[in-house]
Amino acid sequence: KGSDSPTIINAFQLIGMSSFLDLSGFFEQ
Amino acid sequence: CFDCRQNSPRTCQYVDLARLAHDSPFSVNEVEALYELFKKLSCSIIDDMLIHKEELRLALFQAPYGENIFLDRVFDLFDEKKNGVIEFEEFIHALSVFHPNAPIEEKIDFAFRLYDLRQTGFIEREEVQQMVATILMESDMTLSDELLNLIIDKTFADADSDKDGKISKAEWKAYVLKHPSLLKNMTLPYLKDVTTAFPSFIFNTEVED
């Protein structure tokens, strides 16, 4: 309450954004 | 049967296709359709019906060269025999985890092994730092060290319940059950419809599902 700290993204959410972890690339060529 | 350097799927015994289907969420026709995808991926650079790391990189990142820790881990997890190539059976085993109907425990386990870079049985802070640095580089994003540490501190405050500085498999399980969106990458909706995506399997099929 009253905190002005920004919403912090979870580290694993950030990591999950890697293209190398998105195997849908197999199907999108 | 799946020494595909010598055998075409037509020469494969139905029982082997059936075994792969039986041990996975896929039907026999879906296994055959995935064989069409496997053929395409495994012949993209070296035409030997085995997926090499460069071919995996090309499939996922449209570039055959360049080091990436995530690619290394994905490749290692697919390469069950640890012989430096992905065979068809290994391909089916790994993709099974990504099926929308695969048990969530398998997805949790696969993601844990993916992020346990040094394979110590724990996801350590240094590993998370390394992975975050990699994704920032990959996406040309910059974050201050202060914000980066804040993100990692908050993640560990939430995930590392015994506060020993590393995330055990049990802690990981509890954490992702609380944040199921972290498993989003572990499901490929495409796998529900592979026979439509690769209809050419019909020319080689051994069976009508």
Side-chain angles (χ1 to χ4, degrees):
Chain A
K1 189 180 168 185
S3 165
D4 59 356
S5 57
T7 304
I8 297 170
I9 193 169
N10 176 307
F12 290 104
Q13 272 177 287
L14 206 53
I15 292 165
M17 289 161 63
S18 172
S19 322
F20 290 100
L21 297 179
D22 179 11
L23 300 193
S24 57
F26 284 159
F27 304 90
E28 289 171 348
Q29 296 176 62
Chain B
C1 170
F2 279 110
D3 182 359
C4 297
R5 285 161 290 191
Q6 290 156 28
N7 298 330
S8 75
R10 191 171 287 282
T11 64
C12 291
Q13 298 291 311
Y14 168 70
V15 67
D16 290 294
L17 292 170
R19 179 177 56 78
L20 281 177
H22 180 264
D23 297 341
S24 74
F26 303 114
S27 68
V28 175
N29 280 169
E30 286 170 335
V31 172
E32 291 173 318
L34 285 170
Y35 189 77
E36 298 299 313
L37 170 62
F38 180 81
K39 277 196 290 188
K40 188 173 141 193
L41 298 175
S42 64
C43 300
S44 63
I45 298 177
I46 304 167
D47 190 359
D48 59 358
M49 299 304 277
L50 298 163
I51 299 178
H52 296 253
K53 197 181 281 185
E54 293 75 15
E55 290 171 323
L56 185 69
R57 186 184 292 117
L58 186 62
L60 298 181
F61 208 58
Q62 287 79 55
Y65 305 110
E67 293 302 311
N68 184 286
I69 50 168
F70 298 123
L71 179 84
D72 290 345
R73 287 304 296 138
V74 170
F75 188 85
D76 284 349
L77 290 177
F78 272 69
D79 179 17
E80 292 167 6
K81 292 183 187 167
K82 308 296 173 209
N83 59 352
V85 286
I86 301 167
E87 299 170 16
F88 182 58
E89 189 158 350
E90 293 173 325
F91 187 66
I92 292 293
H93 286 169
L95 283 187
S96 297
V97 176
F98 291 82
H99 194 282
N101 296 343
I104 193 165
E105 281 73 20
E106 286 184 20
K107 294 177 189 289
I108 292 172
D109 180 67
F110 195 97
F112 183 82
R113 290 189 291 139
L114 194 61
Y115 297 145
D116 177 13
L117 299 180
R118 291 187 284 215
Q119 296 157 71
T120 56
F122 296 93
I123 302 172
E124 293 161 289
R125 189 182 171 96
E126 294 73 29
E127 292 170 326
V128 175
Q129 278 170 329
Q130 193 184 349
M131 291 187 282
V132 170
T134 301
I135 176 63
L136 292 179
M137 213 151 55
E138 184 189 322
S139 53
D140 285 329
M141 275 194 282
T142 47
L143 287 182
S144 67
D145 285 351
E146 193 190 358
L147 185 54
L148 206 61
N149 281 325
L150 206 60
I151 290 170
I152 295 173
D153 285 347
K154 186 177 181 297
T155 303
F156 271 77
D158 205 8
D160 176 22
S161 11
D162 65 4
K163 308 294 169 211
D164 64 352
K166 52 194 185 181
I167 301 167
S168 67
K169 192 177 274 189
E171 288 169 337
W172 173 251
K173 186 175 176 181
Y175 184 60
V176 291
L177 289 176
K178 216 160 67 174
H179 303 280
S181 67
L182 298 181
L183 290 177
K184 195 166 170 265
N185 283 351
M186 293 292 116
T187 295
L188 290 170
Y190 291 93
L191 291 175
K192 274 255 188 188
D193 210 15
V194 282
T195 52
T196 309
F198 301 98
S200 54
F201 84 91
I202 206 83
F203 299 116
N204 297 314
T205 189
E206 298 277 324
V207 63
E208 223 175 277
D209 273 343

